[in-house]
Amino acid sequence: MLLKEIFLKTKYILQGKRAALIFYALFLMVTLNFIENVTEFRGLDKLQMYHPMKMLLLSYNKTNYRADLAILLTQLYPFLVCIPGGFIIQQEKQLGVDIYAISRQGKKRYFLVNYLSVFAATSLIFIIPFLIEIVLNVFSFPLGAKRDFGYIYGYNEEYMNAVHNYLFSWAYRISPYFCAVIGTVWFGIVSGLLGTITAAISSMIQVKYKVVLFLPVFLGLQATQIFSHKANSHQVAVWWPHYLMLFDDTKKNVLLYEACILLIILVITYCLKSCEKRDSL
């Protein structure tokens, strides 16, 4: 029964205008990146061609060649993740729909269904366009191409050390294509968590203007950029794109990254528990 409720609520979110807007915005960026690749690299010999997965919009490696679309994505991302489902609870509060739903489901179940539905819907929206790009690149560019945007001299020791710094380096050693799929799915999962924390915070506080709900995710992601300047002396990446984009070869603090993901989950859990306690008042 719970799964059915989550499925129906996820479907409801995905059919909304906000979800459609973000999906088509991401798909447009993916399409523009694909067209740019076709225009820039058509006619190249396979030996001169860059690896199809390194040409993806999510590929940090491609920023060594051109970064305009990647910059646009990183600038919009803190807002994009909040829009599909982050405002659903606030919207239902304003319409009074939550009172009826809570009377039928109970407060804990109502918020649990909403949290999981926002997570599922946001994750799907941030996975599907980029998986489509992977498929497009597989069918459009030579699979035997191996060049890297950052290491034009190929498989030397420096390149191998750089690959070791990839977040999913183990998957890359199996196959760059497998690594791209794993990284894209993980990108969607983290996006889902960020969308969910927006919904969770909105269930705890009443705000007059929805724009305020952008602040937690926006400030959290901006903080990583601020702290990245202080971490430069240690040559360890802190800025969030180094952890969410594909094929990034900067040195990373994986333990800190995992702690941040855990913190997001704990905040969401705390919000759910707080809503449950308010039910007993």
Side-chain angles (χ1 to χ4, degrees):
M1 186 65 181
L2 179 64
L3 289 177
K4 183 179 179 181
E5 292 176 12
I6 294 170
F7 173 78
L8 291 174
K9 196 59 177 280
T10 302
K11 182 179 177 181
Y12 172 76
I13 294 172
L14 290 174
Q15 290 175 338
K17 293 181 179 179
R18 292 191 183 97
L21 174 66
I22 301 308
F23 178 84
Y24 288 121
L26 292 172
F27 189 73
L28 176 61
M29 283 190 275
V30 163
T31 303
L32 290 175
N33 187 65
F34 177 73
I35 293 172
E36 179 180 281
N37 287 333
V38 171
T39 304
E40 290 284 334
F41 305 122
R42 64 182 176 183
L44 283 183
D45 185 85
K46 186 173 73 171
L47 296 176
Q48 297 177 302
M49 192 68 186
Y50 296 96
H51 195 287
M53 297 299 96
K54 300 288 180 74
M55 299 160 65
L56 297 171
L57 176 60
L58 278 184
S59 172
Y60 198 90
N61 185 260
K62 196 197 171 185
T63 61
N64 291 298
Y65 179 82
R66 181 172 292 176
D68 48 352
L69 287 171
I71 291 172
L72 178 63
L73 177 62
T74 56
Q75 288 178 335
L76 294 179
Y77 180 78
F79 305 101
L80 296 178
V81 291
C82 300
I83 293 175
F87 305 140
I88 188 70
I89 295 176
Q90 188 71 19
Q91 179 182 331
E92 292 187 350
K93 280 182 182 180
Q94 293 173 347
L95 296 174
V97 177
D98 63 320
I99 298 174
Y100 173 73
I102 289 171
S103 67
R104 292 192 60 186
Q105 299 173 294
K107 228 172 190 181
K108 180 181 179 180
R109 192 179 184 93
Y110 168 76
F111 287 113
L112 179 62
V113 168
N114 273 281
Y115 290 3
L116 293 176
S117 299
V118 170
F119 171 76
T122 306
S123 296
L124 286 172
I125 290 169
F126 279 82
I127 289 174
I128 294 174
F130 299 104
L131 286 183
I132 292 174
E133 187 184 16
I134 291 175
V135 174
L136 287 173
N137 280 17
V138 165
F139 284 102
S140 302
F141 302 108
L143 300 182
K146 298 184 182 299
R147 286 188 70 191
D148 184 280
F149 286 104
Y151 297 88
I152 59 175
Y153 298 109
Y155 295 96
N156 53 29
E157 184 178 353
E158 185 181 7
Y159 173 76
M160 299 307 294
N161 290 333
V163 168
H164 183 71
N165 288 329
Y166 289 174
L167 189 62
F168 296 102
S169 59
W170 60 270
Y172 186 84
R173 286 192 289 269
I174 296 172
S175 168
Y177 299 95
F178 178 60
C179 181
V181 172
I182 293 292
T184 298
V185 172
W186 179 246
F187 175 74
I189 289 173
V190 176
S191 300
L193 287 174
L194 293 175
T196 305
I197 200 171
T198 303
I201 292 172
S202 75
S203 68
M204 294 288 295
I205 60 174
Q206 184 72 35
V207 295
K208 186 175 181 181
Y209 302 106
K210 291 179 182 177
V211 68
V212 176
L213 297 176
F214 283 114
L215 291 178
V217 171
F218 175 76
L219 294 177
L221 294 179
Q222 282 297 107
T224 66
Q225 186 173 10
I226 295 171
F227 288 122
S228 67
H229 298 298
K230 297 182 179 181
N232 279 344
S233 59
H234 303 286
Q235 296 181 336
V236 176
V238 177
W239 191 34
W240 66 266
H242 292 300
Y243 294 85
L244 287 188
M245 297 187 75
L246 308 176
F247 312 120
D248 179 87
D249 61 358
T250 53
K251 188 177 179 182
K252 299 172 180 63
N253 189 330
V254 178
L255 186 62
L256 176 63
Y257 179 50
E258 292 172 346
C260 290
I261 298 297
L262 179 61
L263 178 62
I264 293 172
I265 296 172
L266 289 175
V267 171
I268 293 171
T269 304
Y270 171 79
C271 291
L272 180 62
K273 291 293 183 182
S274 297
C275 291
E276 181 185 1
K277 289 180 180 178
R278 284 190 296 178
D279 193 34
S280 61
L281 294 176

